[in-house]
Amino acid sequence: MAYPLDELAPRFRDAITRAFGAEHRDTDPMLRPSRFADYQANGALGLAKTLHRPPREVAQALLGQLDPSGLVAKTEIAGPGFINVWLSPDYLASELATVAAGDLGLVRASAPDTVVIDYSSPNVAKEMHVGHLRSTIIGDALARVFEALGHRVVRQNHLGDWGTPFGMLIEHLLDLGVDSAEQSVSDLNAFYQAARGKFDHDEDFAERSRRRVVLLQGGDEETLALWKQLVAASQRYFASVYSLLGVTLQEADVAGESLYNPLLAETVRELERLGLGVESDGAICVFPPGFRGRDEQPVPLIVRKRDGGYGYATTDLAAIRYRVHTLGASRVIYVVGAAQAQHLAMVFESGRAAGWFGLEVRTEHVAFGAVLGADKKMYKTRAGASVRLVDLLEEAVARAHSIVREKNPALDAAEQHAIARAVGIGAVKYADLSSDRVKDYVFDYDRMLAFDGNTGPYLQYAHARIRSIFRKGEVEVPSPRAIPVHTEVEKALGLLLLAFPSVVSDVAESLCPHKLCGYLYELAASFSTFYENCPVLKAETAELRASRLALCDLAARVLARGLGLLGIEAPPRM
Ligand code: ARG
């Protein structure tokens, strides 16, 4: 095991059992990293209440049964009954070396989950908006985290590729001339808005569009071919955004709404058969328990409209059933804006009520807030239009380019370019991932590209700086059998390095990537304190130099790996 707490906690549990009996085996010793010692355990306080005994006496009895061998160097009772714990230096030294020799302490799950992650999911023939950007960035980070922990990840890009708007979009395409599809779709906002404008103001066009929807739903070949053209052109555009962003989403991950068309009728029939789908006002609705509107009336999930058509909700019901039954999901994760919270909660509840899955399947909405401009309103261009994602990303890279050029004019053009890309894209991703995702955040190029503070460039730079120690010293990375830590600052860094795997597991559990960001930021700060206080290349002895170099290397690798899990590159020099 790699994280000291994973070894320390069982020792405490054993001590509790021995001192107070097996009925207290499940008492949480409440061990935490501490400012006053390596760790502090607060569990004796609660235990004292249950046992009606003075806390310090309980702490004393617990310590009397604690087996310190090979792990604990010293303990002490503090304050009302806290237990301070110091690890044995030999244990720390050998753990650090083990972690350095392996995969940084990351352990692959022995019983892997199948995690289906629905993310990105933009709409065909419509510009991706910043919300889709957030979904893409957060979803991709989570996918990487799950994979690093050995889980099977199935990415699902739930493309909005079906529905009534396609009638008007296809008619508009025909008006423009089919050959121009690629070109017209290259500006998706203009294309969509032109179609919408004609639909709203030109009755003849609107009528054609409605007929076109019927043809599309009826499977008319010519119509389907036109639809496919629109989908393909949009997908090429989305792929260009993904490639610029450097996300792992592939074309094979596309599972658009249209995929579920053949399953919709059957899904609704099943819901009806189960008595969950009931008629209401000519439509078929599911009323999952516990959802009430402002007027205290139950809120419906409309699964078949009055005109017999199916909608967004029906597709999501068919999709969740497919994800559990066909894809074998044990966790189904939706990275979707907070505005859809109620919709998704109703889909989850309906699926459970239908008996499609029980509590063994976790259904989770990874909700996120809005991206705001400096004016605290929805992020828009100066002209008030919604932002093209490619423009936004290219702007970030261009700004990073001028910073990199200024900071390191000696680098050749190609490397400058590669670094600018890593820094620009990394800055956008980190800004998104580092704040608590449920909150809104303000999009600010200057802040996200700053080389100080909790930013992507700061962490990338911290990493590159460590790498430069090895370049400048022309030293190889040592691989000692133990990495002893001598001073308090070295020890603080060592303990933090050992915490990496538990932070990654915590992200997989809580689905909150900002926890990893916070950890990496803390690690970079701890490294700088270490580097300011402890000479490395000029260390007093060869042994000390070797162990400090090994700490440097480990810190650089944890930073790079952590950034990698966030989907951010860590260039070796900047
Ligand atoms: N296309 C939708 C939108 O742009 C997001 C889809 C999210 N996924 C889902 N299964 N509903 O809002």
Side-chain angles (χ1 to χ4, degrees):
M1 262 182 273
Y3 186 47
L5 277 183
D6 293 340
E7 301 211 19
L8 210 48
R11 298 277 183 105
F12 266 77
R13 285 179 202 278
D14 286 348
I16 291 171
T17 313
R18 274 198 294 273
F20 310 109
E23 66 270 33
H24 296 288
R25 188 190 310 143
D26 293 329
T27 306
D28 182 356
M30 298 181 45
L31 275 156
R32 307 268 179 279
S34 163
R35 267 190 303 139
F36 307 107
D38 294 349
Y39 297 100
Q40 191 171 70
N42 298 347
L45 299 185
L47 206 51
K49 272 213 188 89
T50 338
L51 297 167
H52 303 292
R53 283 170 60 180
R56 286 186 72 100
E57 189 189 304
V58 169
Q60 193 62 59
L62 192 163
L63 283 181
Q65 294 297 331
L66 185 76
D67 168 16
S69 58
L71 183 62
V72 177
K74 194 177 104 180
T75 55
E76 160 193 292
I77 298 173
F82 303 138
I83 299 174
N84 287 337
V85 185
W86 287 266
L87 294 176
S88 112
D90 286 346
Y91 166 79
L92 251 181
S94 91
E95 278 299 294
L96 283 167
T98 309
V99 159
D103 191 15
L104 306 175
L106 293 176
V107 188
R108 299 180 74 79
S110 50
D113 272 316
T114 294
V115 189
V116 169
I117 312 184
D118 179 323
Y119 72 103
S120 197
S121 310
N123 302 314
V124 162
K126 255 184 155 172
E127 180 59 59
M128 283 173 91
H129 53 65
V130 280
H132 296 121
L133 178 69
R134 292 211 72 183
S135 173
T136 309
I137 292 173
I138 298 168
D140 209 55
L142 293 176
R144 290 171 195 260
V145 164
F146 281 113
E147 275 170 348
L149 295 174
H151 298 291
R152 188 169 88 93
V153 173
V154 186
R155 295 165 173 78
Q156 296 280 280
N157 191 351
H158 193 81
L159 223 59
D161 64 354
W162 199 256
T164 43
F166 280 93
M168 72 179 193
L169 294 168
I170 290 172
E171 285 303 319
H172 182 51
L173 178 63
L174 285 170
D175 288 357
L176 292 176
V178 176
D179 299 335
S180 69
E182 200 69 31
Q183 219 189 345
S184 19
V185 169
S186 72
D187 187 349
L188 291 172
N189 277 335
F191 183 84
Y192 191 90
Q193 267 151 26
R196 179 91 245 172
K198 283 201 279 181
F199 187 84
D200 290 342
H201 299 108
D202 177 344
E203 193 35 52
D204 173 54
F205 179 85
E207 188 45 40
R208 276 198 278 146
S209 302
R210 283 191 279 270
R211 275 202 305 274
R212 191 54 78 176
V213 176
V214 177
L215 283 172
L216 181 65
Q217 284 166 342
D220 171 64
E221 291 217 359
E222 189 210 333
T223 305
L224 278 177
L226 290 163
W227 167 75
K228 278 198 184 125
Q229 244 185 321
L230 277 176
V231 175
S234 304
Q235 278 207 49
R236 279 191 287 277
Y237 171 70
F238 300 147
S240 72
V241 176
Y242 297 151
S243 121
L244 194 54
L245 257 184
V247 293
T248 56
L249 267 184
Q250 303 288 315
E251 203 165 325
D253 303 321
V254 170
E257 295 179 9
S258 65
L259 177 78
Y260 305 100
N261 284 348
L263 308 174
L264 300 179
E266 175 197 323
T267 304
V268 174
R269 268 201 305 276
E270 188 178 338
L271 291 167
E272 286 185 291
R273 192 161 40 75
L274 292 165
L276 291 168
V278 293
E279 214 230 81
S280 169
D281 237 345
I284 305 291
C285 301
V286 176
F287 293 92
F291 294 92
R292 286 181 186 275
R294 283 210 196 108
D295 46 5
E296 283 306 301
Q297 291 302 306
V299 185
L301 204 55
I302 302 172
V303 295
R304 196 170 71 212
K305 295 183 225 159
R306 272 163 84 168
D307 64 6
Y310 304 109
Y312 191 57
T314 327
T315 306
D316 261 328
L317 285 167
I320 201 163
R321 183 163 164 264
Y322 173 86
R323 287 168 182 180
V324 176
H325 291 179
T326 309
L327 301 177
S330 45
R331 276 179 96 166
V332 199
I333 292 173
Y334 292 74
V335 190
V336 183
Q340 296 190 40
Q342 164 149 315
H343 163 76
L344 288 171
M346 289 175 80
V347 168
F348 300 164
E349 275 315 305
S350 304
R352 261 180 229 293
W356 293 338
F357 44 86
L359 290 172
E360 74 291 353
V361 174
R362 293 168 75 174
T363 52
E364 294 158 292
H365 176 201
V366 174
F368 51 81
V371 182
L372 307 176
D375 56 0
K376 300 278 165 71
K377 299 219 181 80
M378 284 303 205
Y379 190 67
K380 292 261 158 73
T381 59
R382 269 203 205 104
S386 64
V387 189
R388 284 190 86 216
L389 283 198
V390 208
D391 295 342
L392 177 146
L393 297 173
E394 275 167 1
E395 168 87 23
V397 173
R399 287 178 183 234
H401 207 155
S402 41
I403 298 173
V404 170
R405 210 181 290 127
E406 192 181 309
K407 279 204 191 289
N408 209 337
L411 290 177
D412 68 70
E415 194 170 3
Q416 258 181 22
H417 194 81
I419 295 171
R421 212 189 111 118
V423 171
I425 299 295
V428 172
K429 285 185 172 179
Y430 193 86
D432 196 295
L433 293 167
S434 57
S435 65
D436 187 349
R437 59 175 161 75
V438 231
K439 296 194 191 137
D440 298 346
Y441 79 95
V442 174
F443 191 93
D444 177 348
Y445 285 115
D446 291 330
R447 215 175 57 205
M448 66 178 72
L449 281 161
F451 272 60
D452 47 26
N454 189 11
T455 69
Y458 169 73
L459 292 177
Q460 289 171 319
Y461 189 63
H463 167 263
R465 232 176 46 151
I466 306 179
R467 285 281 155 248
S468 79
I469 299 171
F470 290 90
R471 258 196 318 275
K472 290 205 189 101
E474 291 181 4
V475 278
E476 296 290 304
V477 176
S479 45
R481 261 191 272 150
I483 304 177
V485 287
H486 304 277
T487 60
E488 281 306 309
V489 281
E490 278 178 290
K491 193 167 169 192
L493 176 61
L495 284 172
L496 211 48
L497 287 167
L498 291 181
F500 179 59
S502 74
V503 174
V504 178
S505 304
D506 189 12
V507 173
E509 197 44 43
S510 63
L511 309 176
C512 288
H514 75 274
K515 295 187 176 181
L516 179 54
C517 299
Y519 166 79
L520 294 174
Y521 183 51
E522 203 185 326
L523 178 60
S526 172
F527 182 83
S528 348
T529 310
F530 156 77
Y531 197 60
E532 277 158 29
N533 288 285
C534 306
V536 175
L537 292 172
K538 296 203 172 91
E540 295 96 80
T541 66
E543 260 178 316
L544 197 54
R545 182 179 136 121
S547 69
R548 285 185 178 161
L549 277 171
L551 266 185
C552 289
D553 176 63
L554 189 54
R557 281 164 57 207
V558 170
L559 282 171
R561 187 69 197 273
L563 287 170
L565 292 177
L566 299 170
I568 297 172
E569 284 174 58
R573 74 172 100 212
M574 278 170 67

Coordinates of all heavy atoms in Angstrom, one line a residue, residues 404-464:
V404 N 5.3 33.1 -24.0 CA 6.4 32.1 -24.1 C 7.6 32.7 -24.9 O 8.7 32.6 -24.5 CB 6.0 30.8 -24.8 CG1 7.1 29.9 -25.1 CG2 4.9 30.1 -24.0
R405 N 7.3 33.5 -25.9 CA 8.3 34.1 -26.7 C 9.1 35.1 -25.9 O 10.3 35.2 -26.0 CB 7.6 34.8 -27.9 CG 8.5 34.9 -29.2 CD 7.8 35.7 -30.3 NE 6.7 35.0 -30.8 CZ 5.5 35.5 -31.0 NH1 5.2 36.7 -30.5 NH2 4.5 34.8 -31.5
E406 N 8.3 35.8 -25.1 CA 9.0 36.8 -24.2 C 9.8 36.2 -23.1 O 10.9 36.6 -22.8 CB 7.9 37.6 -23.6 CG 8.3 38.9 -22.9 CD 7.1 39.6 -22.3 OE1 6.1 39.8 -23.1 OE2 7.2 39.9 -21.1
K407 N 9.3 35.1 -22.5 CA 10.0 34.5 -21.4 C 11.2 33.7 -21.9 O 12.2 33.5 -21.1 CB 9.1 33.5 -20.7 CG 8.2 34.2 -19.7 CD 7.7 33.2 -18.6 CE 6.6 33.7 -17.8 NZ 6.9 34.8 -16.8
N408 N 11.1 33.1 -23.1 CA 12.2 32.2 -23.5 C 12.5 32.4 -25.0 O 12.2 31.5 -25.8 CB 11.8 30.8 -23.2 CG 13.0 29.9 -22.9 OD1 14.1 30.2 -23.4 ND2 12.8 28.8 -22.3
P409 N 13.1 33.6 -25.3 CA 13.3 33.9 -26.7 C 14.3 32.9 -27.4 O 14.3 32.8 -28.6 CB 13.8 35.3 -26.7 CG 14.3 35.6 -25.3 CD 13.6 34.6 -24.4
A410 N 15.1 32.2 -26.6 CA 16.1 31.4 -27.2 C 15.6 30.1 -27.8 O 16.2 29.4 -28.6 CB 17.2 31.0 -26.1
L411 N 14.3 29.7 -27.4 CA 13.8 28.5 -28.0 C 13.5 28.6 -29.4 O 13.1 29.7 -29.9 CB 12.5 28.1 -27.2 CG 12.6 27.7 -25.8 CD1 11.2 27.5 -25.2 CD2 13.4 26.4 -25.7
D412 N 13.7 27.5 -30.2 CA 13.4 27.6 -31.6 C 11.9 27.6 -31.8 O 11.1 27.3 -31.0 CB 14.0 26.4 -32.4 CG 13.4 25.1 -32.1 OD1 12.3 24.9 -32.5 OD2 14.1 24.3 -31.4
A413 N 11.5 28.1 -33.0 CA 10.1 28.4 -33.3 C 9.2 27.2 -33.1 O 8.1 27.3 -32.5 CB 10.0 28.9 -34.8
A414 N 9.6 26.0 -33.5 CA 8.7 24.9 -33.4 C 8.4 24.5 -31.9 O 7.3 24.2 -31.6 CB 9.4 23.6 -34.1
E415 N 9.5 24.6 -31.1 CA 9.3 24.3 -29.7 C 8.4 25.4 -29.0 O 7.5 25.1 -28.2 CB 10.6 24.1 -29.0 CG 10.4 23.5 -27.6 CD 11.7 23.0 -26.9 OE1 12.8 23.3 -27.5 OE2 11.6 22.5 -25.8
Q416 N 8.7 26.6 -29.4 CA 7.9 27.7 -28.9 C 6.4 27.5 -29.2 O 5.5 27.7 -28.3 CB 8.3 29.0 -29.5 CG 9.2 29.9 -28.7 CD 9.5 31.2 -29.4 OE1 8.8 31.7 -30.3 NE2 10.6 31.8 -28.9
H417 N 6.2 27.0 -30.4 CA 4.8 26.8 -30.8 C 4.2 25.7 -30.0 O 3.0 25.8 -29.5 CB 4.8 26.4 -32.3 CG 3.5 26.5 -32.9 ND1 2.9 27.6 -33.3 CD2 2.6 25.5 -33.1 CE1 1.7 27.4 -33.8 NE2 1.5 26.1 -33.7
A418 N 4.9 24.6 -29.8 CA 4.4 23.4 -29.1 C 4.1 23.8 -27.6 O 3.1 23.4 -27.0 CB 5.4 22.3 -29.1
I419 N 5.0 24.6 -27.0 CA 4.8 25.0 -25.6 C 3.6 26.0 -25.5 O 2.8 25.9 -24.6 CB 6.1 25.7 -25.1 CG1 7.2 24.7 -25.0 CG2 5.9 26.3 -23.7 CD1 8.6 25.2 -24.7
A420 N 3.5 26.9 -26.5 CA 2.4 27.8 -26.5 C 1.1 27.1 -26.5 O 0.1 27.4 -25.8 CB 2.5 28.8 -27.7
R421 N 1.0 26.0 -27.3 CA -0.2 25.2 -27.4 C -0.5 24.6 -26.0 O -1.6 24.6 -25.5 CB 0.0 24.2 -28.4 CG -1.3 23.8 -29.1 CD -1.0 22.6 -30.0 NE -1.8 21.5 -29.5 CZ -2.8 20.9 -30.1 NH1 -3.0 21.2 -31.3 NH2 -3.4 19.9 -29.5
A422 N 0.5 23.9 -25.5 CA 0.4 23.3 -24.2 C -0.1 24.2 -23.1 O -0.9 24.0 -22.3 CB 1.6 22.6 -23.8
V423 N 0.5 25.4 -23.1 CA 0.3 26.4 -22.1 C -1.1 27.0 -22.3 O -1.9 27.2 -21.3 CB 1.3 27.5 -22.0 CG1 0.9 28.7 -21.1 CG2 2.7 26.9 -21.6
G424 N -1.4 27.4 -23.5 CA -2.7 28.0 -23.8 C -3.9 27.1 -23.5 O -4.8 27.5 -22.8
I425 N -3.8 25.9 -24.0 CA -4.9 25.0 -23.8 C -4.9 24.5 -22.3 O -6.0 24.4 -21.7 CB -4.7 23.7 -24.7 CG1 -4.8 24.1 -26.2 CG2 -5.8 22.7 -24.4 CD1 -6.1 24.7 -26.7
G426 N -3.7 24.3 -21.8 CA -3.7 23.9 -20.4 C -4.3 25.0 -19.5 O -5.0 24.7 -18.5
A427 N -4.1 26.2 -19.8 CA -4.6 27.3 -19.0 C -6.1 27.3 -19.0 O -6.8 27.4 -17.9 CB -4.1 28.7 -19.5
V428 N -6.7 27.1 -20.2 CA -8.2 27.1 -20.3 C -8.7 25.9 -19.5 O -9.7 26.0 -18.7 CB -8.6 26.9 -21.8 CG1 -10.1 26.7 -21.9 CG2 -8.2 28.2 -22.5
K429 N -8.1 24.7 -19.6 CA -8.6 23.5 -19.0 C -8.4 23.7 -17.4 O -9.4 23.4 -16.7 CB -7.8 22.3 -19.4 CG -8.2 21.8 -20.8 CD -7.4 20.5 -21.0 CE -7.9 19.9 -22.3 NZ -7.1 18.6 -22.6
Y430 N -7.3 24.2 -17.0 CA -7.0 24.3 -15.6 C -8.0 25.3 -14.9 O -8.5 25.0 -13.8 CB -5.6 24.7 -15.3 CG -5.2 24.4 -13.8 CD1 -4.8 23.2 -13.4 CD2 -5.4 25.5 -12.9 CE1 -4.5 23.0 -12.0 CE2 -5.0 25.3 -11.6 CZ -4.6 24.0 -11.1 OH -4.3 23.8 -9.8
A431 N -8.2 26.4 -15.6 CA -9.2 27.4 -15.1 C -10.5 26.8 -14.8 O -11.2 27.0 -13.9 CB -9.3 28.6 -16.0
D432 N -10.9 25.9 -15.8 CA -12.2 25.3 -15.7 C -12.2 24.2 -14.6 O -13.2 24.1 -13.8 CB -12.5 24.6 -17.0 CG -14.0 24.3 -17.1 OD1 -14.5 23.4 -16.4 OD2 -14.7 24.9 -18.0
L433 N -11.2 23.5 -14.4 CA -11.2 22.3 -13.5 C -10.9 22.7 -12.1 O -11.2 22.0 -11.2 CB -10.1 21.3 -14.0 CG -10.4 20.6 -15.3 CD1 -9.2 19.9 -15.8 CD2 -11.6 19.6 -15.1
S434 N -10.2 23.9 -11.9 CA -9.7 24.2 -10.6 C -10.7 24.8 -9.6 O -10.5 24.9 -8.4 CB -8.4 25.0 -10.7 OG -8.8 26.2 -11.3
S435 N -11.8 25.3 -10.2 CA -12.8 25.8 -9.3 C -13.9 24.7 -9.1 O -14.1 23.9 -9.9 CB -13.4 27.1 -9.8 OG -14.2 26.8 -11.0
D436 N -14.5 24.8 -7.9 CA -15.6 23.8 -7.6 C -16.6 23.9 -8.7 O -17.1 24.9 -9.0 CB -16.2 24.3 -6.3 CG -17.2 23.2 -5.8 OD1 -17.5 22.3 -6.5 OD2 -17.6 23.4 -4.6
R437 N -16.7 22.7 -9.4 CA -17.4 22.7 -10.7 C -18.9 23.2 -10.6 O -19.4 23.8 -11.6 CB -17.4 21.4 -11.3 CG -18.0 20.3 -10.5 CD -18.1 19.0 -11.3 NE -18.3 17.9 -10.4 CZ -19.4 17.5 -9.8 NH1 -20.5 18.3 -10.0 NH2 -19.5 16.5 -9.0
V438 N -19.5 23.1 -9.5 CA -20.9 23.5 -9.4 C -21.1 25.0 -9.5 O -22.1 25.5 -9.8 CB -21.6 23.0 -8.1 CG1 -22.9 22.3 -8.5 CG2 -20.7 22.0 -7.4
K439 N -20.0 25.7 -9.2 CA -20.1 27.2 -9.2 C -19.9 27.7 -10.6 O -19.2 27.1 -11.4 CB -19.0 27.7 -8.2 CG -19.2 27.3 -6.8 CD -18.3 28.2 -5.9 CE -18.3 27.7 -4.5 NZ -16.9 27.7 -4.0
D440 N -20.4 28.9 -10.8 CA -20.1 29.6 -12.0 C -18.6 30.1 -11.9 O -18.1 30.3 -10.8 CB -21.0 30.8 -12.2 CG -22.4 30.5 -12.3 OD1 -22.7 29.3 -12.5 OD2 -23.3 31.4 -12.1
Y441 N -18.0 30.3 -13.1 CA -16.7 31.0 -13.0 C -16.5 32.0 -14.1 O -17.2 32.0 -15.1 CB -15.5 30.0 -12.9 CG -15.1 29.4 -14.2 CD1 -14.1 29.9 -15.0 CD2 -15.8 28.3 -14.8 CE1 -13.7 29.4 -16.2 CE2 -15.4 27.7 -16.0 CZ -14.3 28.3 -16.7 OH -14.0 27.7 -17.9
V442 N -15.6 33.0 -13.8 CA -15.4 34.1 -14.7 C -14.3 33.7 -15.7 O -13.2 33.4 -15.2 CB -15.1 35.4 -14.0 CG1 -14.8 36.5 -15.0 CG2 -16.3 35.8 -13.1
F443 N -14.5 33.8 -17.0 CA -13.5 33.5 -17.9 C -12.6 34.7 -18.1 O -13.1 35.7 -18.6 CB -14.2 33.1 -19.3 CG -13.2 32.4 -20.2 CD1 -13.1 31.1 -20.3 CD2 -12.5 33.3 -21.1 CE1 -12.2 30.5 -21.2 CE2 -11.6 32.7 -22.0 CZ -11.5 31.3 -22.1
D444 N -11.3 34.5 -17.8 CA -10.4 35.7 -17.8 C -9.1 35.2 -18.3 O -8.3 34.6 -17.6 CB -10.4 36.3 -16.4 CG -9.4 37.4 -16.3 OD1 -8.6 37.7 -17.2 OD2 -9.5 38.1 -15.3
Y445 N -8.8 35.6 -19.6 CA -7.5 35.1 -20.2 C -6.3 35.5 -19.3 O -5.4 34.7 -19.1 CB -7.3 35.7 -21.6 CG -8.1 35.1 -22.7 CD1 -9.1 35.9 -23.3 CD2 -7.9 33.8 -23.1 CE1 -9.9 35.3 -24.3 CE2 -8.7 33.3 -24.1 CZ -9.7 34.0 -24.7 OH -10.4 33.5 -25.7
D446 N -6.3 36.8 -18.8 CA -5.1 37.2 -18.1 C -4.9 36.4 -16.9 O -3.7 36.0 -16.6 CB -5.2 38.7 -17.7 CG -5.2 39.6 -19.0 OD1 -4.5 39.2 -19.9 OD2 -5.8 40.6 -19.0
R447 N -6.0 36.1 -16.1 CA -5.8 35.4 -14.9 C -5.4 33.9 -15.2 O -4.5 33.4 -14.5 CB -7.1 35.4 -14.1 CG -6.7 35.5 -12.6 CD -7.8 35.7 -11.7 NE -8.8 34.6 -11.9 CZ -10.1 34.8 -11.6 NH1 -10.5 36.0 -11.1 NH2 -11.0 33.8 -11.8
M448 N -6.0 33.3 -16.1 CA -5.7 31.9 -16.3 C -4.3 31.7 -16.9 O -3.8 30.6 -16.7 CB -6.8 31.2 -17.2 CG -6.9 31.7 -18.6 SD -8.2 30.7 -19.6 CE -9.7 31.4 -18.9
L449 N -3.8 32.7 -17.6 CA -2.5 32.5 -18.2 C -1.4 33.1 -17.3 O -0.2 33.0 -17.7 CB -2.4 33.3 -19.6 CG -3.1 32.5 -20.7 CD1 -3.4 33.4 -21.9 CD2 -2.2 31.4 -21.2
A450 N -1.7 33.5 -16.1 CA -0.7 34.0 -15.2 C 0.3 32.9 -14.8 O -0.2 31.8 -14.6 CB -1.3 34.7 -14.0
F451 N 1.5 33.3 -14.6 CA 2.5 32.3 -14.2 C 2.6 32.2 -12.7 O 3.5 31.5 -12.1 CB 3.9 32.6 -14.8 CG 4.0 32.0 -16.2 CD1 3.2 32.3 -17.2 CD2 5.0 31.0 -16.4 CE1 3.3 31.7 -18.4 CE2 5.2 30.4 -17.7 CZ 4.3 30.8 -18.7
D452 N 1.8 32.9 -11.9 CA 1.7 32.7 -10.5 C 0.3 32.5 -10.1 O -0.7 32.8 -10.8 CB 2.4 33.8 -9.8 CG 1.9 35.2 -10.3 OD1 0.7 35.2 -10.8 OD2 2.6 36.2 -10.2
G453 N 0.1 32.0 -8.9 CA -1.2 31.6 -8.4 C -1.6 30.2 -8.9 O -0.8 29.5 -9.5
N454 N -2.9 29.9 -8.5 CA -3.4 28.5 -8.8 C -3.8 28.4 -10.3 O -5.0 28.4 -10.6 CB -4.5 28.2 -7.9 CG -4.9 26.8 -7.9 OD1 -4.2 25.9 -8.5 ND2 -6.1 26.4 -7.3
T455 N -2.8 28.4 -11.2 CA -3.1 28.3 -12.6 C -2.4 27.2 -13.3 O -1.4 26.6 -12.7 CB -2.6 29.6 -13.3 OG1 -1.2 29.6 -13.3 CG2 -3.1 30.9 -12.6
G456 N -2.8 26.8 -14.5 CA -2.1 25.8 -15.2 C -0.7 26.1 -15.5 O 0.2 25.3 -15.2
P457 N -0.4 27.3 -16.1 CA 1.0 27.7 -16.4 C 1.9 27.6 -15.2 O 3.0 27.2 -15.3 CB 0.8 29.1 -16.9 CG -0.5 29.2 -17.5 CD -1.4 28.3 -16.6
Y458 N 1.4 28.0 -14.0 CA 2.2 28.0 -12.8 C 2.7 26.5 -12.5 O 3.8 26.3 -12.2 CB 1.4 28.5 -11.6 CG 2.1 28.3 -10.3 CD1 3.3 29.0 -9.9 CD2 1.6 27.3 -9.4 CE1 3.9 28.7 -8.7 CE2 2.3 27.0 -8.2 CZ 3.4 27.8 -7.8 OH 4.1 27.5 -6.7
L459 N 1.7 25.6 -12.7 CA 2.1 24.2 -12.4 C 3.0 23.6 -13.5 O 3.9 22.9 -13.2 CB 0.8 23.3 -12.2 CG 0.0 23.7 -11.0 CD1 -1.3 22.8 -11.0 CD2 0.8 23.4 -9.7
Q460 N 2.7 24.0 -14.7 CA 3.6 23.5 -15.8 C 5.0 24.1 -15.6 O 6.0 23.4 -15.8 CB 3.0 24.0 -17.1 CG 1.8 23.3 -17.6 CD 1.1 23.9 -18.8 OE1 1.0 25.1 -18.9 NE2 0.6 23.1 -19.7
Y461 N 5.1 25.3 -15.2 CA 6.4 26.0 -15.0 C 7.1 25.3 -13.8 O 8.3 25.0 -13.9 CB 6.2 27.5 -14.7 CG 7.5 28.2 -14.7 CD1 8.3 28.3 -15.9 CD2 7.9 28.8 -13.6 CE1 9.5 28.9 -15.9 CE2 9.1 29.5 -13.6 CZ 9.9 29.5 -14.7 OH 11.1 30.2 -14.7
A462 N 6.3 25.0 -12.7 CA 7.0 24.3 -11.6 C 7.6 23.0 -12.0 O 8.7 22.6 -11.6 CB 5.9 24.1 -10.5
H463 N 6.8 22.3 -12.9 CA 7.3 21.0 -13.4 C 8.6 21.2 -14.2 O 9.6 20.5 -14.0 CB 6.2 20.3 -14.2 CG 6.7 19.2 -15.0 ND1 7.1 19.3 -16.3 CD2 7.0 17.9 -14.6 CE1 7.5 18.1 -16.8 NE2 7.5 17.3 -15.8
A464 N 8.5 22.2 -15.1 CA 9.7 22.4 -16.1 C 10.9 22.8 -15.3 O 12.0 22.5 -15.6 CB 9.3 23.4 -17.1

